[in-house]
């Protein structure tokens, strides 16, 4: 990784809740509200923003784990804000705390771990998985 990445750095994304983000299984909407699946997606996407400027050309980030607590709802048309903060960095990983807000309310919280590997190493892992 390039130098400059630090514990405490933050990334923020905002999104408007849309029906495709509703809690659903097999196309059937269970609740017309922001789903945990969508929350995990936004948590990972926000955490990825933290590493993108620091990846070397031959490197890539790969998910290492997500921990999430879905604490409250957000409905269609409401804005959510996702804030990721780096909590720890090693030579092969970046850990982040992530909070999801609807206005002033925290509706989700969790952690995202990203491993930083060479693209070649990821390709090798994927090739082995296909066997």
């Amino acid at each position: 990784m390039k130098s400059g990445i630090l514990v405490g750095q933050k990334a923020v994304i905002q999104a408007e809740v849309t029906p495709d983000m509703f809690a659903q299984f097999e196309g059937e909407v269970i609740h017309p509200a922001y789903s945990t699946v969508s929350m995990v997606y936004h948590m990972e996407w926000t955490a990825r923003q933290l590493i993108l400027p620091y990846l070397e050309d031959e490197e890539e980030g790969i998910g290492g784990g997500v921990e999430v607590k879905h604490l409250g709802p957000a409905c269609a048309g409401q804005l959510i804000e996702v804030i990721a903060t780096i909590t720890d960095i090693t030579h092969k990983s970046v850990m982040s705390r992530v909070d999801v807000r609807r206005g002033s309310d925290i509706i989700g919280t969790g952690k995202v771990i990203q491993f930083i590997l060479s693209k070649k190493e990821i390709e090798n892992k994927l090739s082995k998985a296909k066997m």
Side-chain angles (χ1 to χ4, degrees), residues 19-119:
D20 62 309
M21 296 177 195
F22 287 173
Q24 56 186 296
F25 294 98
E26 300 297 321
E28 180 183 342
V29 173
I30 308 302
H31 308 291
Y34 186 56
S35 68
T36 304
V37 169
S38 295
M39 184 177 286
V40 169
Y41 171 85
H42 286 122
M43 288 176 149
E44 284 198 281
W45 179 236
T46 308
R48 182 167 171 75
Q49 302 309 302
L50 292 165
I51 65 168
L52 286 176
Y54 302 99
L55 293 174
E56 299 284 355
D57 289 342
E58 72 280 356
E59 292 178 320
E60 185 53 87
I62 189 167
V66 176
E67 178 184 301
V68 61
K69 292 181 184 177
H70 195 153
L71 304 171
C75 299
Q78 292 183 319
L79 293 177
I80 56 138
E81 181 176 65
V82 186
I83 305 109
T85 307
I86 297 175
T87 57
D88 194 26
I89 303 167
T90 71
H91 71 285
K92 283 196 170 188
S93 65
V94 176
M95 282 119 326
S96 305
R97 174 189 163 93
V98 186
D99 291 319
V100 182
R101 296 182 173 273
R102 182 198 68 238
S104 61
D105 295 331
I106 294 179
I107 63 166
T109 190
K111 298 176 186 175
V112 174
I113 299 169
Q114 300 170 92
F115 293 115
I116 311 302
L117 303 174
S118 71
K119 290 178 181 177

